[in-house]
Every structure is written in structure tokens, then in C-alpha cells.
Amino acid sequence: MTEVAAIEWLIPLPVLLPFLGAAATMTLGRHPRLQRILSIIVLALGTVVAGALLVLADRNGITAIQVGGWPAPIGITLVSDRLSALMLVIAYVVLLAVMVYAVGQGIRDGDEHQPVSIFQPTYLVMAAGISNAFLAGDLFNLYVGFEVLLASSFVLLTLGASADRVHAGVTYVMVSMLSSLVFLAGIAFTYAATGTLNLAQLAVRLGGVPEGVRIAIFAVFLVAFGIKAAVFPLSSWLPDSYPTAPAPITAVFAGLLTKVGVYAIIRAHTLLFPGGALDDVLLVAGLATMLFGIFGAIAQTDTKRLFSFTLVSHIGYMIFGIGLSTELGLTGAIYYVAHHIVVQTTLFLVVGLIERQAGSASLRRLGSLAAASPVLAVLYLIPALNLGGIPPFSGFIGKVTLLEAGVQVGTPLAWVLVAGAVVTSLLTLYAVMRVWTKAFWRSRDDAPEGDMVAARPAVLLDDVGDVALAERRDVGRMPSLMVGSTAALVLVGIALTVVAGPLIGYTERAAGNLVDRSVYVGTVLGPEAAAELPEASGPAEHTGLSDASSSQPSTAGGPRSAPAGTEVGR
Amino acid sequence: MTVDIGLLVVVAVLVSCGVYLLMERSIVKMLLGLLLGGNGINLLLVLAGGGAGNAPIIGSDGRIYDTDADPLAQAMILTAIVISMGLAAFVLGLAYRAFTATNTDDDVEDDPEDTKVGLRSEDESPQRDRTADPVTGRITRAGDQFGPANASEEP
């Protein structure tokens, strides 16, 4: 019981800590050093909290709190289960490492001289938005979480406001806002059909909604989340927007923002719309995402763009796991999400180091990096092999789990996806190895434009106006904080392999939680509601709002809303 | 629930005008499109709350009236409006910045990198090395065979 109480104290902290930290760092705008220290402390605390949540959630299963004491269907519910706890831990580890990297870069580039430093506060707000999305127990709170992280990501992406960043920012902002509109429309449809937005109550009530309406609503959500997660037909915005941002920002976007969309798809698919109505669509989209993404990656000369395309491609693996609609598929998808967040972020950080070391990220200009900087070569090679799925690494374990799940399902479409996943894996290996042979292995003299970087790097800084490169004696040398944080993430990637056994066990339990919805509903709404939960296969009797809310203790003076929406679903 | 067909038509018109404007190249027009569409979706939320046009407040006697509008839906719209207003301000700033940075209009250009990839010749392929066959210009694997041992001879 005390552990449950501890979780209840811990659940809001991943959201609250960065918000308060953002406010504090904002007031410290004139003290860059304090600002940096504080933001790192906040993220480190968040990591500890998330780690505690992970351990406690694994022991106690799902825990829910009602914010402000309002009963569940009306108030805001925050839910921590195994999936969200795992996502929080990975997110915070990545956020912390990237923040250290960005601080290292900021110190080296001398960004104390900027008038107001808004990077740290915005970054912390984004952390809060991501945490909120992972913990949200109702659809509207999920929407707010999305908006918070999107708004701050807009600012981060256009930081510095050079012409190309504004250009990239416009695409990103418009597409993101459009996806939010689609999401909001989905919320309106859901509310009209069921009269509630609480995820647990929706799980109960959506069973009573006619199947056509339910599938239509699911499709609207899939489009909204698919844009955010960059699933194939909705992914073309990503390779245009991410590569222009500074390395740490691209890294954290690539690692985390798309995965929030994947998380939302997992949540909607398992909790709200079980039964796999749109699984074939998901599988085909997953296949297309894998293949088109990796073909795009092969065509690129710019490594940042190349890795943006591999990012799109590997989202397909997660969609594949979700679309299989089996527990093993979900296990693989969750493990793959965790693995991919770490590896993709690491690779973008390494690309940032390459740019700094060699003055370019273009494969036409790079060469001899393995000789110039063996440390960098190791830092690149490990996550690259990991991404390609070479056996000892976590990428291999995730892919094998997914393939196993696909074989287990055994339908023709599943077999096609298994084949597609293997082909994508090999092509990924080809893409990352080409970066290796071109950038690290061959002599720079052999690069078609090698002489352009053999001289001093032209532009390394985000804000070139601040420090003239001629005055910097250390062009091409890498700050220890940047290398250190990248190395730490590489180690986390290796650790995912070392603890793969327990981690797969954990993701299995998380998937079990997701498949058995009665635990979730029972925790949020009480056991009576869980008993009303319809079977995934057939529609069950629709429960009116009055029945469900009568099971809740009424709060004194609280408005008991009886919306006209009560009658809608009938 | 009865749905107000008039409001539903307004939603449809707003959203379709919004989508039409979104297809423009100008940032300000796209923003207007998003705002129109956003207002349409907000109206949709009002409709979802039921009892359109009625008061959302339950009187002090605490009785629940069938005709009341749902206050929850309206609270959500309020949040959505605040969010879209903040983002609209940001996009306006972005449009202004795009105008001053390029010193022309606020049009969104094609992605230059994408165009480049589409139009590039064999010579610009990512596989290309300087060790390509000097006579035929064909790509060879020679470049890949040079390792770090070779790099130290660099000038």
C-alpha cells in the first residue's frame, strides 16, 4: 500500500519538475551557468523519478491518480503503467544526455553572449509535454501534452531563425498544426459518440458504438498520430524539417517526438480500439514506411538527411509490431521503441560531432575520419551496427522479436512484412555502412569535394555572427561534454543488449497489461466499470453516463455534468 | 441528441475553406486556413457537447436540465482556442521572419535538397569517389579500399 502511495506521489513529478524548472531557468536567463546547471539537475531528478516509477510500476502494475481530486470520468487522470513508465525512463535518459551535449556545445560556442537564452526553458517545457503525453489518462490531456511539446518544438526548430530554418520550420509547423486539427476533430467525434474522453471510460463505452462509427473514429486518430509518428504516406514532412536544426535538437526530435506518436498509436490501438479493425491498413502502412524510408535514405548524400530517412523507415517496424495485434507483436514493438529512441538519438549526436570534427555532414566531402578521430569512429560504429541489427546488439533482438511475432501470426500479409523487415534491415546496414566507408574509411582525397573541408570548416556554428571562426583555435576538436554524453548514450544502447532478457520480460508484461484492458479500466474507474468492459470481438451493451458516474463518489460542490451527449451512442 | 444541421454546414464550410487556404504557398494564407479550420473543429466540439445555444452553467439548485449544453465541451474549446491563438502568434512571427530573411514575399519554397536529389547526375551520386575510373567515369570501389593507413599521407 505504501508503494502505491509512493507512486501516487511520483506520477505528476515527471510533468511538474520540468515545468517548474522551465520557469526557474527562464528567470535565470542572465546567468547562463546557473541556467545550465539547473536544467541538468532538473532532468537528472526527472530521470531518477522515472526510474523509480519504472521499478514501482513493474511491481504494482497500473496506478492512476485523479488530479485535484476530481473523480475519474470528469477530472484529469494521470495513469502510470509499465508502458508509460518505460517510455518515461528512456525519454528522460535521452533528454538528459542531449541536454548535456547541448550544454557542452553551448559552452564551446560561447552562447553566454546571447541576449536571452531560451533554449533551456523551451527544452524543459518540451520534456514536460512529452511526459504529459505519456502519462495522460484522457484524450484531451493527451492533446494538450501534444500541443505543449509541439509548441516548444516549433521554437527549438526555428531557434536562430536563419532563412533555411524558417523554411524548414514553416513546413513542420503547418503539418504539425494540421495533425493537431485532425486530432481535435477525432476528439470531437469521440465525444459526440460517447460523451466522455477518459480513456478508461472510452474503453468501456466505445464497445457500444456501432462498428462503422468506431472504425471511422479510429481512422481519424490514426491519421493524426500517423502524421506525428511519420508513418509513410504522412511522413514526407520529416526529412525536410529535422536536418536543418542544430544537432542536439534534431537528435531529441528524432528520438522522442515521433515516438510520442507511436506511443499514442499503441495506446489507441490496444485500449480504445482493440480487435484489430484496421490492422491490414497498419501493416501495409508499416511495410511502405519501412521500404520507402530506407530507399530514401540510400539516395541521400547528406548524413543528417540520411538518418532522418532511416528514422522514418524504422518507424515502420513499430507499426508492424502494433499491426500484428498479438501480445508478442506488441512486446517487440515496445522493445523496438525503447531501442530506437536511444540509437537514433545517438546517431544524430554523432553526426553533430562529425560536423564539428570535419566541418561537413556531406558524404561528398567527408573522409579519413577513422584516422583523424578513432573515438568518433567507435562512437559511430556501435550505434550504426545496432541500427542495422547486427546480432549482439539490441536492434537485432528487437527485430528478431518482431519477425518471430510476424511468423507466429502467419497470414500472407504478415509473411510479406517479415520479408520486408528483413530487406529493410539489410538495406539499413548498407546505408549506415556506406557512411562508414565514405566518411570514416576512405581517404579524404578520394572524396569528390574533399578539398572543400580539408581547409578550415566553413560554417560550424548555429549563430555565426557571435564568434568568428578565425578566433576559435579549436575548430575540429570536440568538447568533452559532447563526446561524453554521446558515449554515455552509446553505453545505454549497449546496456539495452546486456539487460535484454529482463527488458524483454518487462516489455512482455507491459504488452500483457495493454492486451488485458480490464486492469487499466479497473484501476481508473473501479472494478464495477471493468466488469462492464465489452469483449474485443463483439459489441456489448452501451452504458450510460449516469451508470458509470454513479459508481464514483461525488465531490461536494462539484458539478455533476449530465451532457446531452449521454444519449448519443445509442 | 439532435444535431443542429445549420451549424454542421457551417463546420463543413469552415473546414473546407481552411483546407483550400492551406494549399496556398503563402504562410499567412496557410495560417488563415489553419485558423478557419480550427474554428470549424471548435464548432464541431460545441456540437458534440449537445444542446447548442443553451447555457452551459447548471443553476445553484444543482438540478440537471436535459437541455443544458455540456460545460466540459466548452472548457475544451476554450483550451483549444488558447492553444491555437498562441500558435497563430508564433506563425505570424515566423512569417515576418521569413519575409525579412529572404526579403521577398512569405512564400514557401520547394525543398531545395529534395529537388537536388531528384535532378542529380551520376556524377553527384553518394557512391561517387574521386577514384572513379578516369577514362569512363564509372564508379569504382577503389575509394573504399583506402583505409586510415592511407589517410596519414594526406597533405
Side-chain angles (χ1 to χ4, degrees):
Chain A
M1 201 59 206
T2 46
E3 277 198 355
V4 175
I7 303 178
E8 284 176 355
W9 273 100
L10 287 177
I11 289 177
L13 284 183
V15 186
L16 273 182
L17 274 175
F19 260 133
L20 296 175
T25 47
M26 196 75 200
T27 59
L28 291 175
R30 286 164 190 276
H31 308 278
R33 188 170 297 173
L34 277 179
Q35 203 181 26
R36 286 172 188 146
I37 293 171
L38 185 67
S39 50
I40 288 178
I41 289 176
V42 165
L43 288 175
L45 275 180
T47 313
V48 173
V49 168
L53 265 180
L54 179 84
V55 173
L56 292 174
D58 195 27
R59 274 198 229 153
N60 296 291
I62 304 171
T63 314
I65 61 158
Q66 318 296 340
V67 177
W70 290 85
I74 296 169
I76 292 172
T77 315
L78 293 183
V79 186
S80 151
D81 66 349
R82 293 192 174 98
L83 172 62
S84 43
L86 178 69
M87 297 294 281
L88 275 177
V89 169
I90 300 282
Y92 263 101
V93 167
V94 164
L95 281 165
L96 178 64
V98 173
M99 176 57 101
V100 173
Y101 184 98
V103 164
Q105 186 171 347
I107 291 173
R108 185 49 56 101
D109 293 350
D111 65 2
E112 284 103 346
H113 308 297
Q114 288 175 351
V116 192
S117 174
I118 54 160
F119 173 74
Q120 272 97 351
T122 320
Y123 189 88
L124 289 176
V125 169
M126 188 177 73
I130 291 171
S131 311
N132 192 18
F134 288 153
L135 288 170
D138 65 288
L139 271 180
F140 200 75
N141 200 14
L142 184 65
Y143 168 77
V144 172
F146 267 129
E147 289 302 308
V148 169
L149 76 87
L150 282 180
S152 42
S153 72
F154 295 165
V155 177
L156 288 176
L157 192 74
T158 53
L159 218 58
S162 59
D164 58 338
R165 265 192 214 155
V166 169
H167 164 256
V170 169
T171 318
Y172 177 68
V173 169
M174 291 300 168
V175 172
S176 304
M177 285 176 78
L178 186 67
S179 85
S180 297
L181 275 192
V182 177
F183 188 9
L184 202 57
I187 288 178
F189 293 142
T190 315
Y191 198 67
T194 62
T196 183
L197 288 178
N198 186 292
L199 288 179
Q201 205 174 18
L202 277 177
V204 175
R205 287 200 187 166
L206 274 169
V209 173
E211 184 160 13
V213 178
R214 200 170 62 220
I215 293 176
I217 294 176
F218 188 28
V220 173
F221 281 130
L222 275 187
V223 170
F225 298 148
I227 295 176
K228 289 174 208 289
V231 177
F232 165 62
L234 313 165
S235 65
S236 52
W237 58 272
L238 190 147
D240 288 351
S241 349
Y242 282 7
T244 47
I249 292 171
T250 316
V252 79
F253 280 14
L256 286 176
L257 295 197
T258 47
K259 304 311 182 302
V260 183
V262 174
Y263 167 84
I265 292 179
I266 294 180
R267 201 48 101 193
H269 185 269
T270 55
L271 185 61
L272 303 185
F273 307 96
L278 289 174
D279 275 357
D280 288 352
V281 179
L282 273 178
L283 287 177
V284 172
L287 182 69
T289 312
M290 285 194 260
L291 292 178
F292 282 91
I294 203 63
F295 287 144
I298 289 171
Q300 303 303 318
T301 43
D302 182 48
T303 43
K304 271 185 165 180
R305 283 180 66 88
L306 190 149
F307 285 119
S308 298
F309 275 102
T310 64
L311 164 65
V312 172
S313 167
H314 283 235
I315 295 288
Y317 281 104
M318 301 158 210
I319 303 299
F320 171 32
I322 299 167
L324 288 175
S325 260
T326 60
E327 206 167 321
L328 189 61
L330 270 178
T331 306
I334 296 170
Y335 185 87
Y336 207 83
V337 170
H339 143 83
H340 195 248
I341 290 176
V342 173
V343 168
Q344 194 71 50
T345 310
T346 318
L347 281 172
F348 272 108
L349 291 185
V350 172
V351 170
L353 288 176
I354 292 177
E355 261 189 318
R356 196 152 272 272
Q357 171 78 2
S360 170
S362 165
L363 288 182
R364 292 174 59 75
R365 302 187 184 182
L366 293 171
S368 309
L369 272 173
S373 176
V375 177
L376 188 55
V378 173
L379 287 184
Y380 171 78
L381 194 62
I382 294 173
L385 292 179
N386 201 341
L387 189 74
I390 291 290
F393 293 111
S394 53
F396 173 73
I397 300 164
K399 286 185 182 95
V400 163
T401 315
L402 285 171
L403 294 184
E404 202 185 326
V407 170
Q408 206 181 55
V409 168
T411 58
L413 187 56
W415 276 105
V416 171
L417 262 118
V418 167
V422 172
V423 170
T424 309
S425 182
L426 293 174
L427 288 176
T428 308
L429 200 60
Y430 167 68
V432 294
M433 280 307 104
R434 205 187 58 215
V435 176
W436 171 260
T437 54
K438 300 291 169 196
F440 287 89
W441 204 246
R442 77 174 164 198
S443 160
R444 178 169 276 164
D445 296 338
D446 291 332
E449 296 169 8
D451 47 344
M452 294 176 77
V453 283
R456 285 245 147 148
V459 178
L460 284 182
L461 279 176
D462 306 328
D463 37 4
V464 191
D466 282 351
V467 184
L469 273 164
E471 294 165 16
R472 293 172 56 206
R473 281 169 298 166
D474 54 359
V475 171
R477 291 230 310 275
M478 299 175 293
S480 52
L481 274 181
M482 295 171 74
V483 177
S485 54
T486 313
L489 269 189
V490 171
L491 288 181
V492 171
I494 294 174
L496 286 181
T497 309
V498 176
V499 300
L503 188 59
I504 284 276
Y506 181 90
T507 53
E508 252 166 24
R509 289 192 293 280
N513 265 175
L514 291 174
V515 173
D516 181 16
R517 302 185 296 158
S518 59
V519 186
Y520 188 102
V521 176
T523 314
V524 177
L525 292 176
E528 303 92 346
E532 292 165 13
L533 199 65
E535 287 300 308
S537 49
E541 203 181 323
H542 176 63
T543 47
L545 180 70
S546 52
D547 305 340
S549 56
S550 63
S551 69
Q552 291 298 322
S554 68
T555 316
R560 299 288 303 274
S561 85
T566 310
E567 295 122 49
V568 176
R570 294 186 175 159
Chain B
M1 182 178 74
T2 52
V3 172
D4 191 332
I5 191 75
L7 272 184
L8 209 56
V9 169
V10 174
V11 170
V13 169
L14 279 177
V15 170
S16 37
C17 290
V19 170
Y20 179 77
L21 276 174
L22 254 180
M23 292 182 204
E24 291 284 337
R25 277 299 175 96
S26 152
I27 299 173
V28 174
K29 280 182 191 165
M30 287 164 88
L31 174 64
L32 285 175
L34 280 174
L35 290 179
L36 272 185
N39 280 333
I41 302 289
N42 286 344
L43 261 184
L44 192 67
L45 264 172
V46 173
L47 279 172
N54 296 335
I57 309 290
I58 296 173
S60 55
D61 56 353
R63 281 171 57 203
I64 293 165
Y65 301 95
D66 286 344
T67 50
D68 280 334
D70 182 359
L72 209 56
Q74 309 212 352
M76 290 189 296
I77 296 158
L78 187 60
T79 315
I81 289 173
V82 170
I83 290 173
S84 60
M85 198 173 80
L87 291 182
F90 180 79
V91 175
L92 275 181
L94 209 59
Y96 177 71
R97 182 61 207 165
F99 174 74
T100 51
T102 57
N103 233 338
T104 50
D105 43 15
D106 64 348
D107 278 1
V108 179
E109 308 287 328
D110 285 335
D111 183 33
E113 199 66 34
D114 199 38
T115 321
K116 214 159 73 188
V117 171
L119 295 178
R120 84 180 159 207
S121 63
E122 180 83 339
D123 225 24
E124 291 160 315
S125 140
Q127 278 295 27
R128 183 88 174 163
D129 276 329
R130 198 171 285 168
T131 48
D133 193 306
V135 184
T136 60
R138 285 250 183 81
I139 292 167
T140 66
R141 289 184 60 246
D144 298 343
Q145 286 158 5
F146 288 89
N150 198 33
S152 54
E153 294 156 24
E154 236 186 320

